[in-house]
Amino acid sequence: MHKAHAHKTVLLYEAVEALLTDPSGVYVDGTFGRGGHSRLILSSLTEQGRLIGIDKDPAAIATGHELGQQDSRFSIHHGSFTDVDSVNGEQQVDGILLDLGVSSPQLDDPERGFSFMQEGPLDMRMNHQEGESAAEWLARAEEQEISRVIWEYGEDRFSRRMARAIVREREFEPILTTKRLASIIAAACPTKEKGKHPATRAFQAIRIHVNRELEDLVLCLDRALEKLKPGGRLVVISFHSLEDRIAKRFIRKHQKGDEHPSWLPVREDQLNRRLKSLGKAIKPSKQEVAENVRSRSAVMRVAEKLV
């Protein structure tokens, strides 16, 4: 039995307020986690309203089943948020919420292998029952691929040094634990950032790669747009600049509509605008950041489907 790990839901009230347009509608929490957003959504729905949660993590699914037993308006789907198009049958929904990244219970549980601060198996999978673990990937990946992942997803300028060190050290002994990987990366960094562990960006990058987080986000957004009813809301909370960039560009693309040659006269109804951005990006208040330091990098974007 593992001890419970506390989780503070980021931008809780802001996200739910932005999401709900019809208290009797059907909504999807595409990243259920431990149900923080879901519980507040349910408290705002009528008896006719429904909420469907999705999560990869078996521990989150267990929490979701408990919530479903307590509230018949809620159901949970075990899978990726890319499955958003398959929930609720063929029917469209009134809103979709995506709270991206890793949750505090995942981060704080040493056995999940997400954190370099605690010793544990080097896993990093959101669903540890599927796919390749971080240790398995690092054991087989070529130096150039490891360097590319750390640079593209972690934006770490010492990515080549880190990759070279990982490949060198795995020849002596397999890299199977978080602390060993963290020490290898730290030793490969010629300079240190004040207040930041040298392995921060590399661990984040490897986690993103192992879970296909950015590829899945692109796929999910396309499917979410089709799943939403006209007037439905899409709410995306990001914790990484690459995630936020994908969400921002997606909304901007569908707000602008189809591209046509500049010389071609086009009527407004021919542009095929499908989304409307609702206000500027929203960030946590100073008070929320003070109470939950992990919220400091959060950015929330909200869009409404037009057609």
Side-chain angles (χ1 to χ4, degrees), residues 122-185:
L122 190 59
D123 195 310
M124 295 196 190
R125 290 171 294 177
M126 299 290 189
N127 181 359
H128 61 273
Q129 299 172 349
E130 292 183 359
E132 186 176 44
S133 71
E136 290 168 336
W137 177 68
L138 288 174
R140 67 158 184 82
E142 295 183 0
E143 180 180 323
Q144 186 176 4
E145 183 185 6
I146 297 172
S147 175
R148 177 189 63 78
V149 165
I150 296 174
W151 170 248
E152 288 186 5
Y153 298 156
E155 299 176 316
D156 197 304
R157 61 194 175 117
F158 299 123
S159 60
R160 290 182 180 177
R161 288 174 176 262
M162 293 174 180
R164 194 177 308 126
I166 288 168
V167 170
R168 182 181 64 245
E169 291 299 321
R170 75 185 183 188
E171 295 300 317
F172 296 102
E173 182 184 346
I175 304 171
L176 302 176
T177 66
T178 52
K179 283 291 187 74
R180 179 148 192 263
L181 177 59
S183 65
I184 292 169
I185 291 171

Side-chain angles (χ1 to χ4, degrees), residues 12-21 27 94 232-235 278 282 300-304:
L12 174 60
Y13 296 99
E14 296 89 338
V16 174
E17 182 180 0
L19 180 72
L20 295 180
T21 55
Y27 296 88
D94 296 275
R233 298 280 179 86
L234 174 66
V235 178
L278 300 181
I282 298 170
M300 185 176 84
R301 297 188 184 275
V302 184
E304 184 174 284

Side-chain angles (χ1 to χ4, degrees), residues 3-58:
K3 68 176 183 178
H5 298 277
H7 175 65
K8 291 186 177 181
T9 304
V10 176
L11 291 167
L12 174 60
Y13 296 99
E14 296 89 338
V16 174
E17 182 180 0
L19 180 72
L20 295 180
T21 55
D22 177 6
S24 297
V26 179
Y27 296 88
V28 177
D29 183 349
T31 46
F32 175 75
R34 295 304 181 268
H37 285 117
S38 284
R39 288 183 176 86
L40 186 58
I41 292 169
L42 287 168
S43 72
S44 306
L45 295 181
T46 66
E47 291 185 6
Q48 291 73 40
R50 283 202 303 121
L51 175 63
I52 304 163
I54 303 174
D55 210 291
K56 289 182 177 181
D57 188 344

Side-chain angles (χ1 to χ4, degrees), residues 36-153:
H37 285 117
S38 284
R39 288 183 176 86
L40 186 58
I41 292 169
L42 287 168
S43 72
S44 306
L45 295 181
T46 66
E47 291 185 6
Q48 291 73 40
R50 283 202 303 121
L51 175 63
I52 304 163
I54 303 174
D55 210 291
K56 289 182 177 181
D57 188 344
I61 295 302
T63 301
H65 284 314
E66 291 177 5
L67 181 57
Q69 290 171 356
Q70 298 164 9
D71 193 326
S72 61
R73 299 172 300 168
F74 178 79
S75 60
I76 189 77
H77 172 85
H78 189 193
S80 167
F81 55 33
T82 59
D83 298 337
V84 67
D85 59 335
S86 65
V87 300
N88 200 40
E90 298 296 320
Q91 300 297 311
Q92 291 180 307
V93 298
D94 296 275
I96 297 171
L97 169 65
L98 303 174
D99 182 6
L100 307 174
V102 62
S103 69
S104 293
Q106 291 170 326
L107 206 60
D108 294 337
D109 185 350
E111 294 187 21
R112 302 303 298 273
F114 287 108
S115 175
F116 48 79
M117 301 299 290
Q118 305 178 76
E119 180 70 305
L122 190 59
D123 195 310
M124 295 196 190
R125 290 171 294 177
M126 299 290 189
N127 181 359
H128 61 273
Q129 299 172 349
E130 292 183 359
E132 186 176 44
S133 71
E136 290 168 336
W137 177 68
L138 288 174
R140 67 158 184 82
E142 295 183 0
E143 180 180 323
Q144 186 176 4
E145 183 185 6
I146 297 172
S147 175
R148 177 189 63 78
V149 165
I150 296 174
W151 170 248
E152 288 186 5
Y153 298 156

